Amino acid sequence: MKIPSVILLLGACLVTLSGAAQDWPYYRGDQGGSGFSALEQINSDNVGELEVAWQYRSGEAETFAEQLPRSALETTPILLPEAAGGHLVFCTAFNQVIALNPETGAERWRFDPKISLAGDRPFKCRGVSWWNDTRSNGAQCSQRIFTATHDRRLIALDARSGKLCESFGDHGTVKLYTEEEGFVPGDIGSVSPPVVVNGTVVIGSAVVDFVRAHTPRGTVKAFDARSGALRWQFEPIPLDAKAANADQWPADAVAASGGANAWAPLSVDETRDLVFIPTGAPSPDYYGALRLGDNRYANSLVVLRGSTGEMVWSFQFVHHDVWDYDTPAQPMLVDLQRDGKTVPAVVQLTKQGFVFVFHRETGEPLFPIIEQAVPQLAVAGEQLSATQPFSPKLPSLLNHDLNTENAWGLTPWDRGACAKKIAGLHNQGLFTALAETPTLMLPGSLGGANWGGGVFWPERQQLVVNVNTAPFVGHLKPTSSTEKGEHLPPAGRTMRITMAGTPYTVVVESLMSPLGIPCSEPPWGKLMAIDLAKGEVLWEKPLGSVHEMAPVPLPFDINWGTPNLGGALMTAGKLVFIGATMDRRFRAFSADSGKMLWQHTLPVDAPASPMTYQRGGRQYVVIAAGGHHMYQRPMGDYIVAFALPLKDK
């Protein structure tokens, strides 16, 4: 008997949905970036029994030993359905794509794109994307892996074998740039995974936006997922006076500026044919006199029609950014419960420490947003926005107020030294622009929230996010000579970057006491939970121990929190798993109370987001541990899987 095609389609959908409950087919579990798993074999009662199930090393610590200090292993693996090979697939910092046996960690295949190592951009890759081409009926490359590289190539691989999909682009590869668009090797790359919406693969970019006024613009490009043909592209910076945002930029915006790029992960609502794009700051980050205006579509959430690139709605979180307050985190597509109804929402976390929530289809704020007056003192030629958006009905992720009264120290001596430092700062609160004198930066460009974003438990309406709280000091120094430095001041060092094409060099350093600890009260990194139905904080806890950050490492934990990069994982087992910290620890917290229930010391730091899946009746939790160039600590190339001990039969 011939089975009707609609029944076959329904069956395929049910298999996909049931598989998704145990698999992790997308970068953060689902296309909306929830970071939540319904698995509960590992739970708050037995998490203390977790042990290493297997450990894998990619070999890049040796292969790229010279470049390793300029890299970060930020990858989160995905687990493919059995129809796509059932592999655990991830990208390395140097864009190799590797498939493992999810139960043993044994390597199944590896693809090396042999990237160019040119330029100064750090090497990193947060993840790859899977796509099922339902039209191809099981043929080669009907199951695809998309990956984007440091040297700006979009590559399609057969998910089962790791071989190039010859029918995509030029034998499996699409070049994402042209020299005419302003590409300079090392000034623009790809970091976050592509997304696929109804047969269209969409990719942002990572632009070096702080060393020059004029940089590559942050074009978002979309390609046919089968052929690689360009379908549309979105320009956040106006190319001419006809652009919808042209009145918010100078007449020749492309020549004056650049950036406004989508370097953070994108999200997709396939049912509604929507792609959600978080955009960053225009260049240069800390000086805007050459790009006067609000610079609309920079520092924004931009929502486009996936099939056409048509603008649906947008919201700008920072007008005329001179603080490097990129929109850093993946937009979270969640369903909120309001007055007995389910409302499709999008949650955006920001470096400023705000939580913004919108109706996913219309952009209407689901919690009030106000335009609030902000400080106006700035260097000559600058024109700051008179107001900035605030989200007053949702909890702030950090305290923005630091003054002589709440300066912190271990002793009256160093507390007094911090108070003296703070008293000498240009400090008018949040959105104080850098001046030619030392200026408080709280938060600095690390955030608040950063690219790890948040995780969301739908049934509980519970949001969990990791936060940075440490203060920085910066100023604009009239440029007399070229100075080189780091984008962020690692390990307490001072960043000095000459913003070519401007009169200034930006100088940034951590605000530290004479003992080398932050001048603000700990924790300097924390994990917090918010009830999004009520808009209330449920709990917050320090995240990270500083025992390895002391001049002489200490043999015991000091849980004052550390800077953190990477995200969390939340499961129906009432657990929140997270690495991210500068202490080599991987931890599990109670989703109910925030109490730490388990921790494991990894070979190196794990500035990545964990994931989970179930295979062979056993639940695994996986984290990448490779270190981060900003931490200035030991580096590595580990993927580590944890599970409960096997029971004797």
Side-chain angles (χ1 to χ4, degrees):
M1 181 180 70
K2 185 176 180 180
I3 302 174
S5 57
V6 67
I7 300 298
L8 289 173
L9 179 60
L10 177 60
C13 290
L14 291 173
V15 168
T16 300
L17 290 172
S18 63
Q22 295 189 345
D23 291 351
W24 192 271
Y26 302 103
Y27 165 68
R28 296 294 278 137
D30 55 56
Q31 290 180 296
S34 74
F36 176 78
S37 170
L39 295 177
E40 51 187 341
Q41 183 184 93
I42 301 169
N43 55 58
S44 55
D45 294 327
N46 59 25
V47 67
E49 302 174 32
L50 275 186
E51 62 182 19
V52 174
W54 53 259
Q55 179 174 286
Y56 171 85
R57 299 197 67 179
S58 69
E60 288 196 339
E62 295 182 3
T63 306
F64 296 97
E66 182 180 348
Q67 293 81 18
L68 204 66
R70 292 197 294 119
S71 73
L73 188 59
E74 298 179 349
T75 190
T76 299
I78 61 174
L79 183 70
L80 302 182
E82 291 299 334
H87 315 306
L88 189 71
V89 183
F90 66 97
C91 56
T92 68
F94 297 90
N95 294 119
Q96 296 189 67
V97 182
I98 298 173
L100 306 179
N101 182 317
E103 296 185 54
T104 66
E107 186 175 309
R108 287 178 170 173
W109 56 254
R110 176 188 295 234
F111 172 80
D112 185 357
K114 297 180 171 55
I115 61 170
S116 167
L117 302 177
D120 295 326
R121 279 208 64 81
F123 299 95
K124 59 185 72 172
C125 177
R126 296 198 178 106
V128 300
S129 294
W130 161 70
W131 179 61
N132 176 22
D133 182 1
T134 54
R135 291 188 196 172
S136 294
N137 198 26
Q140 183 185 23
C141 282
S142 61
Q143 303 280 348
R144 297 189 178 193
I145 295 293
F146 288 106
T147 186
T149 63
H150 175 84
D151 54 3
R152 289 292 280 162
R153 289 176 285 155
L154 177 64
I155 297 173
L157 303 174
D158 181 272
R160 300 182 187 93
S161 67
K163 304 294 184 183
L164 286 165
C165 294
E166 293 287 330
S167 61
F168 181 83
D170 183 8
H171 302 286
T173 299
V174 168
K175 185 178 174 182
L176 293 173
Y177 65 89
T178 66
E179 284 72 9
E180 293 74 20
E181 290 176 315
F183 175 83
V184 179
D187 275 2
I188 182 170
S190 295
V191 175
S192 295
V195 294
V196 184
V197 51
N198 297 319
T200 299
V201 56
V202 186
I203 183 71
S205 63
V207 173
V208 177
D209 52 13
F210 50 91
V211 297
R212 296 197 306 269
H214 174 60
T215 62
R217 62 186 191 269
T219 308
V220 176
K221 298 191 176 186
F223 302 89
D224 185 288
R226 295 183 183 86
S227 69
L230 181 67
R231 281 192 170 177
W232 54 259
Q233 60 186 48
F234 167 73
E235 299 287 355
I237 299 176
L239 302 185
D240 54 47
K242 296 178 181 179
N245 57 338
D247 61 339
Q248 298 297 318
W249 291 80
D252 192 353
V254 172
S257 184
N261 50 298
W263 59 264
L266 315 185
S267 288
V268 160
D269 183 334
E270 282 206 285
T271 301
R272 294 174 173 85
D273 191 30
L274 299 176
V275 57
F276 295 77
I277 302 170
T279 63
S283 63
D285 289 352
Y286 297 103
Y287 180 74
L290 303 178
R291 49 172 173 82
L292 298 181
D294 278 357
N295 308 138
R296 186 151 51 99
Y297 299 153
N299 303 91
S300 298
L301 176 59
V302 176
V303 184
L304 305 180
R305 192 72 61 198
S307 54
T308 64
E310 170 194 3
M311 174 74 69
V312 179
W313 62 267
S314 70
F315 184 88
Q316 188 176 53
F317 302 105
V318 185
H319 311 315
H320 190 73
D321 184 13
V322 292
W323 303 273
D324 194 16
Y325 286 164
D326 299 324
T327 312
Q330 182 176 16
M332 301 176 64
L333 309 187
V334 304
D335 289 334
L336 293 186
Q337 301 305 316
R338 285 287 185 92
D339 301 323
K341 297 181 180 179
T342 299
V343 180
V346 53
V347 180
Q348 185 64 64
L349 305 172
T350 72
K351 285 186 178 180
Q352 305 92 278
F354 295 145
V355 182
F356 293 93
V357 185
F358 306 92
H359 192 289
R360 202 182 309 167
E361 296 173 337
T362 66
E364 176 189 359
L366 297 180
F367 290 88
I369 298 173
I370 62 172
E371 286 284 337
Q372 184 170 313
V374 294
Q376 291 297 290
L377 185 61
V379 295
E382 186 64 86
Q383 293 180 19
L384 301 176
S385 172
T387 64
Q388 295 289 351
F390 285 68
S391 181
K393 295 298 184 181
L394 285 168
S396 177
L397 302 182
L398 74 159
N399 178 16
H400 300 100
D401 183 29
L402 182 61
N403 53 52
T404 56
E405 299 298 319
N406 61 8
W408 192 84
L410 287 174
T411 68
W413 169 71
D414 65 308
R415 185 163 56 250
C418 278
K420 185 176 180 180
K421 279 188 176 183
I422 293 169
L425 297 179
H426 173 43
N427 175 16
Q428 298 177 301
L430 182 63
F431 292 113
T432 299
L434 293 190
E436 292 188 13
T437 55
T439 302
L440 177 67
M441 304 169 70
L442 182 61
S445 62
L446 191 63
N450 208 290
W451 61 263
V455 290
F456 183 77
W457 189 335
E459 183 181 2
R460 292 188 170 196
Q461 303 282 281
Q462 182 178 352
L463 169 70
V464 174
V465 57
N466 50 302
V467 183
N468 293 286
T469 66
F472 292 83
V473 175
H475 71 276
L476 298 178
K477 185 187 78 170
T479 299
S480 57
S481 61
T482 300
E483 298 175 82
K484 291 186 177 180
E486 303 285 349
H487 180 27
L488 289 166
R493 293 214 310 265
T494 299
M495 172 187 86
R496 291 183 176 86
I497 294 293
T498 298
M499 297 182 288
T502 80
Y504 290 106
T505 290
V506 62
V507 181
V508 178
E509 60 186 347
S510 300
L511 178 56
M512 296 283 200
S513 79
L515 296 180
I517 59 177
C519 282
S520 61
E521 184 178 7
W524 303 308
K526 65 179 180 178
L527 191 68
M528 63 188 299
I530 297 172
D531 183 329
L532 273 189
K534 298 178 180 179
E536 298 174 354
V537 174
L538 297 172
W539 51 259
E540 57 180 83
K541 301 291 181 179
L543 179 61
S545 169
V546 299
H547 68 283
E548 290 194 346
M549 298 175 65
V552 178
L554 302 174
F556 52 86
D557 286 5
I558 304 177
N559 290 309
W560 288 347
T562 76
N564 52 89
L565 288 169
L569 157 71
M570 188 150 52
T571 74
K574 299 181 180 180
L575 293 170
V576 179
F577 290 94
I578 190 167
T581 53
M582 296 177 66
D583 59 7
R584 298 186 294 131
R585 299 294 174 78
F586 186 40
R587 295 176 169 88
F589 294 84
S590 165
D592 290 335
S593 66
K595 179 182 178 181
M596 189 178 72
L597 302 177
W598 170 85
Q599 65 177 353
H600 177 86
T601 301
L602 296 161
V604 294
D605 297 326
S609 301
M611 52 84 73
T612 189
Y613 57 90
Q614 190 163 310
R615 277 292 182 271
R618 197 180 191 196
Q619 183 183 353
Y620 298 82
V621 178
V622 176
I623 185 78
H628 198 288
H629 62 92
M630 278 171 37
Y631 287 177
Q632 299 291 292
R633 287 166 49 79
M635 305 288 283
D637 55 9
Y638 300 86
I639 304 291
V640 187
F642 298 87
L644 296 172
L646 290 169
K647 303 295 184 183
D648 294 332
K649 294 183 179 180

